[in-house]
Amino acid sequence: MAKIDIELKAMTSELIPGLVKVENESFSKPWTKEGFEAELENDTANFTAAVYNGQAVGYIGFHAVLDEGYVANIAVLPEYRRLGIADDLLKAALERSAEMRLSFLSLEVRKSNSAAIALYKKYGFETVGERKRFYSAPVEDAYIMTRYFTY
Ligand code: COA
């Protein structure tokens, strides 16, 4: 449980401005309002926001196609990090994945992103490969990390 009283909510258009702020403060190539709006129309998308005092302070988004899940992103506003919010978001995505009987949930992460790598390892993701020069601004390789589900 996060150390502050957050609520997890499925993404709605009202939450999108807050999610854009989370992106802008977290990434060198942030998702835009239009990017989030497209996900509202996407049947494969599962996007969940962490809301504190009516403000979106973090989110996770993944796509499920057949029995495969792919995390698009997870991020928390800098001033709300290390409070357990990503813990809650990732746990919720894992629970949803299990409800959907996915075989795995997979993602890419910058090799230098030790905070995110520690988060994923904590929840059973394994490094299964890498993608050379996957990221730009700055150019960097990615690890592919996957959490497998058994039922
Ligand atoms: N250093 C090491 N481990 C860290 C960490 C840090 N700075 N921040 C988080 N973790 C890991 C730990 O395993 C932690 O568990 P613990 O508290 O039991 O040690 C676990 O993540 C959960 O921490 P939590 O407080 O829930 O994480 P958070 O809410 O601060 O969010 C990120 C973690 C990665 C989402 C956040 O740092 C972020 O938004 N980073 C920028 C965006 C990003 O890089 N996203 C990932 C893209 S692949």
Side-chain angles (χ1 to χ4, degrees), residues 26-27 73-77 80-88 107-110 113-116 118-120 122-123 135:
S26 299
F27 297 108
N73 240 339
I74 179 168
V76 173
L77 279 182
Y80 289 92
R81 289 183 190 160
R82 305 289 353 221
L83 294 173
I85 294 173
D87 266 337
D88 286 1
L107 52 83
E108 286 91 13
V109 57
R110 282 184 186 269
N113 194 346
S114 50
L119 169 70
Y120 302 141
K122 182 174 173 183
Y123 288 96
Y135 293 103

Side-chain angles (χ1 to χ4, degrees), residues 2-70:
K3 293 177 188 144
I4 58 172
D5 197 10
I6 56 155
E7 205 182 332
L8 298 186
K9 290 189 174 175
M11 177 170 70
T12 57
S13 53
E14 292 73 40
L15 289 168
I16 289 177
L19 300 184
V20 171
K21 178 175 155 73
V22 174
E23 279 285 308
N24 288 339
E25 296 195 21
S26 299
F27 297 108
S28 62
K29 295 181 81 182
W31 274 30
T32 59
K33 173 171 163 283
E34 291 73 25
F36 284 110
E37 282 169 353
E39 298 297 347
L40 282 179
E41 306 296 320
N42 181 350
D43 287 343
T44 71
N46 283 266
F47 278 59
T48 303
V51 179
Y52 178 67
N53 273 345
Q55 184 199 354
V57 294
Y59 84 98
I60 188 166
F62 72 95
H63 295 105
V65 179
L66 299 175
D67 64 337
E68 303 183 359
Y70 296 94

